[in-house]
Structure formats: C-alpha cells, structure tokens
C-alpha cells in the first residue's frame, strides 16, 4: 500500500535542532495535528493507546512548570506510565552523578527519558551511555528543541489559516526574536529550526545580550527594536531572566523596557497581522506589554496547547519507529 | 452520417471503433470478460465500475432495511472507506429522502503494529473527523477491503473512545478472506479468495480517478 509520507523516522533521540534535517522537522510538524485533534475531543476519552505500557521518565533537574507538565500530559495522553523526578526529590542533591541517576532509572526499564538540565550538552552525553530514548527538554543555554518545534508548528498553523493554503510552509517568512539572545536556548533552537524551514530570522537585543558572531548562524543582528520589527511576520519576545540581573548585563530594567519592550507602540512598525509569541513565563510589562500579551495578535496560549501535541508527536515517533537495536 | 461510407474505407473502420466503445454495442461475452477477465499486465479485474456501482446500491438497500427504527451513522475508514461511505449515503438518501450522517476514521493512532517498530509511522492518510455524537448511535463502519480484520479492530477501539454506540456494524466492498480476528462484514460487496501475497487494489474515482477493483496475483509455481 502506498503511504503518503516519504520520510521515515530513524532517530532514537531528540537532542538538538542543529542535528535535524528539514524533512525530519516537517515530519514532526505533520505528525502533530492528529494529536491536537485527540485533545480537542468533545466527548469520550482524550487519549490514544500508542505508548500503552511504556514508561516515560521526566527527569527535571532545573525548575520548570510549563515544560514539565506539558511532557507529562503528552505521555499520559499517549497512555504511557509516567514518573517525574524533580531536583528537590532526587538523589542529585545527595551528590549522585547524572550517569548514575539515569542508570538507576534504566534499571527500572524506562523507554523514554525526558531531561531538563542546567548543563549544556548533558542530554547529548547521556545518549552515548544509555539505551533509553532521550528527549532534551532544555539544557543550559544550549538548546530547547521541543520549544522550537512547537513554535514552528504554531507559526505554520497561522500562516496556513491566513493564506487559506493547507500546504503552506515557513518559506520567506521573517521572524524577529527579541531579548536576551545570549542566554536563551529557546532562541538558539528557534534559529536552527526556523532557518532550516526557510524563514529568515533577525535577532535583537542589547549588545551585551547578543552573543558575538551570532550572525554565523545565518541571522540578521540589530540593537534597534523598530528595525527588527519592520516587515516581521512574527515578533518573538524572550523572557528577561531577572535572576541574571545581578550580573549587570544591561544598565537598568527601566532602560531595557524603554528600548526593547514589545508593546502596542513599538508593534506599529510591524505588519498588521504579525503574530506575537513568547515562550513563557512572561514578565508582564517588562519584555512584553500586558495588553499585547492578552491582545488579538498574541498566540501565546496556542503555543502551550500545541506544545502537548508536538511532544506527543515526538514521543510517538521516537518510541514507535525505527529499527530496534 | 451514412455518406461517410461512400468516401473512404478507413472512415468505416473509425466509426466501427467508436461504436465498439459504446457500452450498449459491446457483446455480452466481452462484458463478462471485462468483469472477471485478465488484463494484459496480469492483474485480474475483480469488480468493474458497473459492478462497484451495483454493489454499493445493493448494500444501501440492505442498510436501509436494517435501519427502519433508527438512522444509521456511517463512518468511513480512511482513505477509501470515506468515499464509499459518501456513496452509500447518497444511495440511502435516494431511497429514503434523508441522508445519514457521515464521518471519517483515521485509525492510525490505534493500529496494533506500531509498537513493533517495523511499520512506518504514517501521517498522510488524513484525520478522524465526524461532527455527531456516537453515544447510543447505530454506527456502520465502511471500508474498501476486509482482510486481517485488524484495521476494523482499530476502528472499533477508536469509535469507542468517542462514546458508546448502541450498535456497530461493518460494510465492506471486498472481502478477501485471510482473517486474523473474529470479525465479519454485515454488508458486503463481493467476496473473493486470495493468497496472503496477492494484492487487492481498490481504485475509486474520488481518489484514483477511476472505479475498478484489481487483483494482482503473485506468480507461483504450480504443484
């Protein structure tokens, strides 16, 4: 029988967006809508039996609410058994190494391990020594691939609705990412993902928060908010990590707000139908004005709903395809 | 028209060929040949367009007579079950004046062969969609080919995740046998005998541009 999709999923792990090919990204995005439909079922059971009897362990060694519950919910909607280990409840505080922690989890026969760590590269290292399928849920300021995928999915959904074209992609779109680019794994994963899908990206922030040589990733760089927003189809505001304020990377919060806040005033430069996005949690009226966050252009809550569907798609692809080793 | 015979003999041949293409001139033995004959590429025509049309019409009558008290809700299993469900609905509407509700089932999320990792995870068949409540409904699942019965098993599980139908029945265009589960069709177009490595290809105008059911037999050494 002819099967419409041409790419087969062959990866065991999802660690970085840098590794993925465009076709693989598109396969994930194409797999997600059916899971969106599962959650929207009005009557009956809002889950499917694709991961029945499988064990998904969420190992969250850094504070996180949104991503953790999103992964947990995605696993439950696929009928998997889930265990969630957070920093406070883990033996990591007793000095256990990450390898040992994972070895112990695997001794209980885990199938998928979702890892959030503050160390860049930790998930990648773990893939070499362990047999579970590993999903990176954010490693330090390196990457956050599932966030980038759900963002691309949300953008594509809106492009398709706006153009009334069910096959439309991100080609030729302009995305402005604004804020703390240097410390943002969301920015890094999004840059990889969006440029691979054919969109052009401009990053904007105070010079101290723009990593040197970022333009090598194929993006435009500016410190002028209005220049970044000009012609942008998507305005993506990043969270200012107030906890890093102590490092004095910018002179004052008030100055940051004046120069870089996405609000109805600065949005006037952007096209009428530009989308406003944010990975959450929002510092209201710091990087993003409250009225814009709640306004008609904002798709922030759609990002959250889509996040569960994208994570279901990834777990399904990792667990149910590819040769068993 | 008649004057053409006077001018050139090839005109005659041409007109004759055209006449042959018209269905009412085709001799009876040729029709039978077309219905269960052998095509040049080795595929056997199991059902012609006319046979498919007649089978759908007959199944519609059977569905109507089995649903005198309550309306049927048709759920077509993607992809080719959906156009078949639409055709059945049309026929039922012609008979009763009222078309039944029609929806689509993808069944992909309920397949039992995914966890083996051996079959590709598909995305291209389309999504489950129906806008009626299956709770208490008399559901008729519609599919093109009934084989192992595993797709129907998946469809049953999917429907029951949406609610509790009062009754679920099955309508299929072709039953090729080789069942692996205790499942049978309540409304059937045609039953044929096949070997596991044969391939039954149902072509429907809505998807493939023409109506025909072909059986590709794998060459076997005769014992």
């Amino acid at each position: 029988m002819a099967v419409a999709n041409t790419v087969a999923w062959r990866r065991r792990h999802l660690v970085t967006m840098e590794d993925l090919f465009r076709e693989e990204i598109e396969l994930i995005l194409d797999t997600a809508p059916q899971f969106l439909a599962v959650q929207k079922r009005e009557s009956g059971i809002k889950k499917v039996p694709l991961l029945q009897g499988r064990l998904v362990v969420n190992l969250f060694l850094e504070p996180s609410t949104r991503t953790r519950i999103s992964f947990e919910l995605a696993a439950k909607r696929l009928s998997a058994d889930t265990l969630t280990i957070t920093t406070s409840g883990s033996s990591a505080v007793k000095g256990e190494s990450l390898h040992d922690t994972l070895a112990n989890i695997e001794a209980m026969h885990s199938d998928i391990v979702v890892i959030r760590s503050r160390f860049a590269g930790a998930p990648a290292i773990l893939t070499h020594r362990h047999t579970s399928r590993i999903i990176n849920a954010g490693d330090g300021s390196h990457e956050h691939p599932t966030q980038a995928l759900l963002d691309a999915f949300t953008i594509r959904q809106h492009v398709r609705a706006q153009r009334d074209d069910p096959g439309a992609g991100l080609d030729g779109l302009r995305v402005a990412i604004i804020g703390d680019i240097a410390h943002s794994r969301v920015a890094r994963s999004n840059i990889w993902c969006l440029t691979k899908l054919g969109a052009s990206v401009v990053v904007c922030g105070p010079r101290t928060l723009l990593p040197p040589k970022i333009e090598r990733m194929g993006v435009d760089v500016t410190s002028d908010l209005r220049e970044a927003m000009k012609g942008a189809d998507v305005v993506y505001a990043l969270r200012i990590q107030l906890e890093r304020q102590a490092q004095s990377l910018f002179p004052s919060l008030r100055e940051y707000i004046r120069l870089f806040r996405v609000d109805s005033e600065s949005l006037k430069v952007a096209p009428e139908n530009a989308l406003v996005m944010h990975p959450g949690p929002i510092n209201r009226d710091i990087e993003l004005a409250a009225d814009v966050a709640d306004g008609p252009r904002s798709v922030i809550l759609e990002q959250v709903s889509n996040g569960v569907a994208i994570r279901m798609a990834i777990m399904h692809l990792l667990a149910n395809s590819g040769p068993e080793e | 028209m008649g004057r053409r015979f006077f001018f050139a003999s090839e005109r005659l041949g041409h007109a004759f060929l055209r006449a042959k293409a018209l269905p009412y001139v085709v001799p009876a033995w040729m029709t039978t040949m077309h219905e269960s004959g052998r095509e040049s590429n080795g595929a056997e025509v199991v059902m012609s367009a006319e046979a498919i049309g007649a089978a759908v019409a007959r199944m519609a009558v059977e569905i109507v007579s089995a649903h005198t008290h309550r309306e049927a809700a048709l759920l077509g299993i993607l992809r080719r079950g959906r156009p078949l469900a639409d055709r059945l609905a049309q026929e039922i509407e012609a008979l009763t004046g009222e078309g039944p509700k029609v929806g689509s089932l993808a069944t992909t999320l309920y397949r039992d062969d995914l966890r083996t990792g051996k079959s590709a995870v598909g995305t291209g068949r389309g999504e489950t969609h129906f806008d009626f409540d299956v709770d208490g409904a008399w559901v008729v699942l519609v599919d093109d080919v009934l084989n192992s019965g595993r797709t129907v098993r998946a469809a049953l599980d999917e429907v029951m995740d949406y609610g509790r139908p009062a009754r679920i029945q099955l309508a299929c265009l072709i039953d090729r046998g080789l069942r692996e589960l205790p499942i049978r069709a309540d409304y059937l177009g045609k039953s044929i005998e096949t070997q596991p490595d044969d391939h039954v290809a149902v072509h429907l105008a809505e998807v493939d541009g023409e109506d025909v059911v072909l059986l590709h037999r794998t060459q076997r050494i005769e014992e």
Side-chain angles (χ1 to χ4, degrees):
Chain A
M1 284 288 176
V3 179
N5 63 311
T6 47
V7 205
W9 186 262
R10 285 278 169 260
R11 284 180 196 275
R12 292 181 56 80
H13 313 286
L14 181 72
V15 174
T16 66
M17 289 309 299
E18 189 180 358
D19 289 346
L20 292 190
F21 295 108
R22 178 181 177 140
E23 291 73 19
E24 293 175 303
I25 298 172
E26 285 174 342
L27 178 63
I28 297 172
L29 301 189
D30 291 340
T31 309
Q34 53 192 341
F35 295 115
L36 209 54
V38 169
Q39 302 184 71
K40 284 183 183 158
R41 282 180 188 174
E42 279 171 21
S43 63
I45 300 160
K46 290 186 174 70
K47 65 198 293 184
V48 287
L50 285 172
L51 257 66
Q52 211 165 48
R54 247 79 75 84
L55 178 59
V56 176
V57 178
N58 292 312
L59 185 56
F60 276 70
L61 303 174
E62 205 187 39
S64 158
T65 312
R66 200 172 324 257
T67 310
R68 177 168 55 80
I69 60 171
S70 182
F71 268 108
E72 220 175 301
L73 192 56
K76 287 183 187 298
R77 292 251 156 97
L78 291 170
S79 309
D81 297 323
T82 59
L83 283 180
T84 299
I85 302 163
T86 54
T87 325
S88 56
S90 93
S91 294
V93 290
K94 296 180 187 168
E96 189 180 49
S97 81
L98 197 50
H99 272 308
D100 286 339
T101 306
L102 199 60
N104 278 281
I105 289 170
E106 291 207 313
M108 298 176 211
H109 304 288
S110 57
D111 296 286
I112 294 179
V113 178
V114 179
I115 296 177
R116 157 72 59 99
S117 163
R118 67 196 163 88
F119 301 112
I125 290 169
L126 292 175
T127 60
H128 300 310
R129 259 183 47 184
H130 301 275
T131 52
S132 290
R133 291 166 184 238
I134 288 171
I135 301 176
N136 179 6
D139 56 337
S141 45
H142 177 223
E143 282 226 41
H144 192 351
T146 57
Q147 178 73 40
L149 288 163
L150 74 90
D151 291 334
F153 182 75
T154 309
I155 297 171
R156 198 175 78 163
Q157 212 177 26
H158 278 270
V159 170
R160 288 180 170 185
Q162 276 172 16
R163 295 188 193 159
D164 200 15
D165 172 7
L170 268 61
D171 291 285
L173 284 190
R174 185 145 179 92
V175 181
I177 302 177
I178 293 142
D180 182 354
I181 309 294
H183 300 101
S184 174
R185 53 189 171 215
V186 175
R188 218 171 309 277
S189 284
N190 259 303
I191 291 169
W192 286 121
C193 182
L194 293 167
T195 51
K196 282 176 187 189
L197 291 174
S200 74
V201 177
V202 52
V203 294
C204 170
R207 292 240 169 269
T208 45
L209 298 180
L210 291 172
K213 298 182 178 141
I214 180 86
E215 60 281 353
R216 286 191 185 172
M217 287 181 82
V219 297
D220 297 325
V221 187
T222 178
S223 282
D224 178 352
L225 181 62
R226 275 160 185 82
E227 193 194 314
M229 281 201 189
K230 213 170 282 171
D233 301 288
V234 179
V235 175
Y236 199 112
L238 294 172
R239 199 176 98 84
I240 280 297
Q241 287 159 317
L242 295 170
E243 56 272 22
R244 287 192 216 277
Q245 248 304 84
Q247 298 171 15
S248 332
L249 290 164
F250 46 92
S252 80
L253 209 51
R254 192 187 294 171
E255 190 185 316
Y256 181 86
I257 291 169
R258 189 168 59 79
L259 291 173
F260 295 103
R261 183 172 75 172
V262 176
D263 51 27
S264 44
E265 192 53 41
S266 57
L267 265 174
K268 280 179 183 160
V269 194
E272 195 97 331
N273 58 357
L275 301 177
V276 174
M277 302 177 76
H278 191 289
I282 309 172
N283 296 307
R284 282 185 175 252
D285 290 324
I286 295 178
E287 69 264 3
L288 185 61
D291 61 323
V292 174
D294 303 329
R297 292 169 160 193
S298 161
V299 294
I300 294 167
L301 292 177
E302 284 172 49
Q303 287 173 270
V304 178
S305 314
N306 289 341
V308 179
I310 279 285
R311 288 171 179 128
M312 286 170 82
I314 292 163
M315 287 187 193
H316 168 48
L317 288 170
L318 290 180
N320 288 332
S321 51
E324 291 289 330
E325 277 158 44
Chain B
M1 178 70 186
R3 279 178 63 193
R4 287 190 191 155
F5 291 115
F6 292 101
F7 282 103
S9 57
E10 60 261 41
R11 290 250 183 205
L12 179 89
H14 189 77
F16 182 58
L17 274 176
R18 263 198 299 173
K20 255 179 83 173
L22 293 172
Y24 55 83
V25 194
V26 175
W29 62 267
M30 281 193 74
T31 325
T32 25
M33 171 87 173
H34 187 58
E35 263 182 1
S36 57
R38 221 163 252 284
E39 284 201 339
S40 53
N41 60 1
E44 195 179 314
V45 177
V46 175
M47 283 178 106
S48 64
E50 291 77 20
I52 293 175
V56 170
R58 177 176 50 75
M59 286 155 77
V61 172
E62 289 170 10
I63 292 173
V64 168
S65 57
H67 290 78
T68 46
H69 305 302
R70 217 187 301 194
E71 209 191 322
L74 307 182
L75 281 176
I77 297 172
L78 293 172
R79 255 172 95 190
R80 290 180 184 76
R82 179 59 205 259
L84 278 176
D86 287 327
R87 291 184 192 190
L88 282 171
Q90 251 178 15
E91 296 280 350
I92 292 171
E93 189 173 4
L95 291 167
T96 64
E98 211 176 329
K101 299 171 201 128
V102 185
S104 316
L105 280 184
T107 71
T108 37
L109 303 181
Y110 291 82
R111 279 164 50 186
D112 59 4
D113 56 344
L114 286 175
R115 71 188 59 181
T116 61
K118 280 173 192 143
S119 55
V121 174
T123 54
R125 290 218 294 173
E127 280 171 44
T128 295
H129 180 78
F130 53 90
D131 48 11
F132 50 85
D133 193 359
V134 294
D135 254 336
W138 283 18
V139 173
V140 178
L141 301 174
V142 184
D143 206 359
D144 53 350
V145 182
L146 179 57
N147 185 3
S148 66
R150 288 180 190 268
T151 306
V152 177
R153 199 280 312 160
L156 287 170
D157 277 359
E158 181 161 18
V159 172
M160 288 199 271
D161 268 5
Y162 281 87
R164 185 181 180 279
R167 186 172 89 179
I168 304 180
Q169 290 187 315
L170 176 63
C172 279
L173 187 61
I174 287 276
D175 180 353
R176 62 167 291 189
L178 307 171
R179 209 80 74 244
E180 292 165 13
L181 294 171
I183 282 171
R184 60 164 174 80
D186 301 277
Y187 312 101
L188 184 62
K190 185 170 181 172
S191 179
I192 55 171
E193 271 189 33
T194 60
Q195 298 297 317
D197 47 2
D198 293 341
H199 177 60
V200 177
V202 172
H203 296 263
L204 293 177
E206 295 90 331
V207 183
D208 315 282
E210 55 161 355
D211 272 7
V212 69
V213 181
L214 298 174
L215 171 62
H216 301 269
R217 286 205 190 273
T218 305
Q219 293 295 323
R220 278 178 297 271
I221 300 160
E222 301 290 330
E223 282 176 50

